[in-house]
């Protein structure tokens, strides 16, 4: 393969492309200890408690829910199965990412700052092992794609890098002045930027999300076991990987971890078109006035809606 960017947003559009204004919404998790999880998400990450009713709660940045948590202390944790690899919280700029990093360092919470060129990010897990990415978009610095037969990045000056170098934390933290508090909540513009899933087999997952749901394939490398799809040319709204092994089992109902994630479309007409494509493809789905609930080929539950405040429950 030549040294070229093969992100196929132009050469590989979806047969029926999803609306470019499509975005990600709330991620729902089943958790073993709601109190502990809420402390982490508020005190360590800086999210706000939106509501709490019995064994359920929702957190976010003051607007739409970002996470919905349901406690089930008896639910088992199944390792090695399809489900959530990580959900990614997108902060509005590099200074807000610096604030998150400063809070994590202050708390002593373990995390892994990484430079993807097109994004600056850090990775961590919550107290129950759910993967989290927190990032800021930096498209002016370069792009991500497949170069020389592997995933990597091209910087704005044309250099090819792994796209997985350590982040220059010192430079980022220098954006904070003495007057900048780190104990304030994340800003209201914070949102779920993307979701990355463990899937059982890559090809059926890509076909489902590309040919049926309608996302563009931005980059795909089957030999690396990963693909990235999006709406509107974004670097990715969904990551798909087989890093648990081809044929990884799907979890039974009632386990800890991903309950569902949300795709938010901007119009009712777009929701109806996706529903029609799912019907024609023979996918089993539940329709309601608020949206569509479907399982992807790896049994990950997907809530597709035109109302970000809605849920399938």
């Amino acid at each position: 393969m030549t040294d070229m960017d093969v992100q196929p947003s132009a050469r590989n559009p979806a047969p029926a492309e999803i609306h470019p204004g499509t975005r990600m919404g709330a991620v729902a998790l089943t958790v073993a200890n709601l109190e502990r999880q809420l402390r982490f998400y508020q005190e360590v990450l800086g999210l706000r408690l939106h509501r709490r009713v019995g064994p359920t709660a929702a957190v976010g940045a003051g607007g739409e829910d970002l996470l919905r948590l349901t406690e089930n202390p008896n639910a088992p944790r199944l390792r090695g199965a399809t489900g959530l690899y990580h959900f990614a919280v997108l902060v509005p700029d590099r200074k807000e990412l610096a604030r998150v990093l400063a809070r994590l360092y202050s708390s002593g919470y373990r995390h892994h700052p990484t430079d993807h060129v097109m994004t600056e990010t850090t990775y961590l897990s919550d107290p129950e092992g759910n993967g989290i990415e927190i990032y800021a978009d930096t498209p002016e610095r370069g792009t991500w794609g497949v170069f020389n037969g592997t995933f990597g990045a091209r910087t704005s000056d044309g250099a090819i890098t792994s796209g997985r170098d350590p982040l220059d934390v010192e430079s980022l933290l220098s954006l904070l002045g003495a007057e900048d508090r780190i104990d304030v909540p994340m800003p209201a513009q914070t949102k779920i930027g993307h979701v990355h899933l463990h899937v059982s087999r890559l090809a059926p997952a890509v076909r489902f999300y590309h040919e049926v749901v309608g996302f563009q394939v931005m980059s795909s490398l089957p030999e690396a076991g990963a693909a990235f799809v999006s709406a509107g040319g974004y670097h990715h709204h969904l990551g798909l990987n087989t890093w648990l092994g081809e044929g990884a089992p799907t979890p039974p109902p009632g386990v800890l971890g991903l309950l569902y994630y949300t795709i938010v479309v901007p119009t009712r007409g777009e929701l109806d078109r996706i529903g029609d494509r799912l019907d024609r493809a023979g996918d089993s789905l539940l329709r309601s006035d608020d949206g569509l609930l479907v399982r992807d080929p790896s049994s990950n539950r997907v809530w597709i809606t035109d109302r970000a405040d809605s849920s399938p429950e």
Side-chain angles (χ1 to χ4, degrees):
M1 183 176 294
T2 58
D3 183 323
M4 61 179 294
D5 182 347
V6 296
Q7 295 182 67
S9 57
R11 66 171 176 80
N12 193 13
E17 196 165 292
I18 201 168
H19 193 289
T22 299
R23 59 186 177 86
M24 307 309 290
V27 173
L29 303 174
T30 300
V31 301
N33 187 319
L34 184 60
E35 191 67 39
R36 180 179 61 187
Q37 293 290 78
L38 288 176
R39 282 199 305 271
F40 166 79
Y41 283 108
Q42 293 176 90
E43 297 173 10
V44 178
L45 285 200
L47 295 176
R48 303 170 187 259
L49 178 65
H50 286 178
R51 64 188 175 278
R52 182 174 182 177
V53 181
T56 68
V59 296
E64 297 174 4
D65 295 344
L66 300 185
L67 289 178
R68 296 168 182 158
L69 308 175
T70 299
E71 183 179 58
N72 182 352
N74 299 315
R77 167 71 69 181
L78 184 62
R79 304 291 180 183
T82 60
L84 184 70
Y85 179 55
H86 65 242
F87 65 86
V89 177
L90 174 60
V91 294
D93 54 45
R94 298 179 71 237
K95 184 172 181 177
E96 290 304 326
L97 179 61
R99 199 187 309 272
V100 171
L101 291 180
R103 181 164 40 234
L104 289 169
Y105 283 120
S106 176
S107 69
Y109 203 88
R110 185 178 181 184
H111 63 110
H112 305 280
T114 305
D115 189 350
H116 290 315
V117 178
M118 67 171 183
T119 67
E120 292 179 315
T121 186
T122 195
Y123 292 97
L124 63 157
S125 295
D126 73 14
E128 296 190 7
N130 297 295
I132 305 167
E133 178 181 356
I134 306 172
Y135 74 107
D137 278 324
T138 54
E140 71 282 358
R141 300 177 64 236
T143 61
W144 175 269
V146 178
F147 306 95
N148 297 324
T150 188
F151 286 116
R154 173 181 282 142
T155 65
S156 57
D157 61 6
I160 305 298
T161 78
S162 71
R164 292 177 289 273
D165 293 324
L167 186 62
D168 185 346
V169 172
E170 184 176 353
S171 172
L172 198 64
L173 293 179
S174 71
L175 298 175
L176 298 174
E179 73 285 358
D180 289 311
R181 295 175 54 185
I182 64 171
D183 60 345
V184 295
M186 286 185 176
Q189 304 95 317
T190 302
K191 59 186 179 180
I192 299 294
H194 64 267
V195 174
H196 196 150
L197 301 170
H198 288 299
V199 299
S200 182
R201 290 180 174 84
L202 193 62
V206 172
R207 281 196 298 270
F208 173 80
Y209 285 109
H210 175 54
E211 298 179 12
V212 182
V213 179
F215 284 111
Q216 299 165 290
V217 180
M218 300 305 291
S219 55
S220 179
L221 197 60
E223 54 268 42
F228 300 90
V229 303
S230 82
Y234 190 57
H235 50 74
H236 69 296
H237 286 109
L238 279 173
L240 310 166
N241 76 68
T242 55
W243 297 337
L244 293 176
E246 282 283 332
T250 60
V255 300
L256 296 176
L258 182 66
L259 184 58
Y260 65 85
Y261 75 91
T262 306
I263 297 172
V264 182
V265 297
T267 68
R268 173 58 53 157
E270 182 65 18
L271 184 66
D272 291 340
R273 284 188 286 273
I274 294 172
D276 290 344
R277 293 200 296 272
L278 289 165
D279 281 336
R280 289 196 298 272
D283 291 291
S284 178
L285 73 154
L286 296 175
R287 292 178 181 263
S288 72
D289 291 341
D290 291 332
L292 311 167
L293 182 64
V294 64
R295 290 185 182 271
D296 73 10
S298 298
S299 287
N300 296 304
R301 296 172 83 226
V302 190
W303 174 239
I304 309 173
T305 182
D306 62 340
R307 290 184 46 200
D309 61 347
S310 68
S311 79
E313 267 68 55

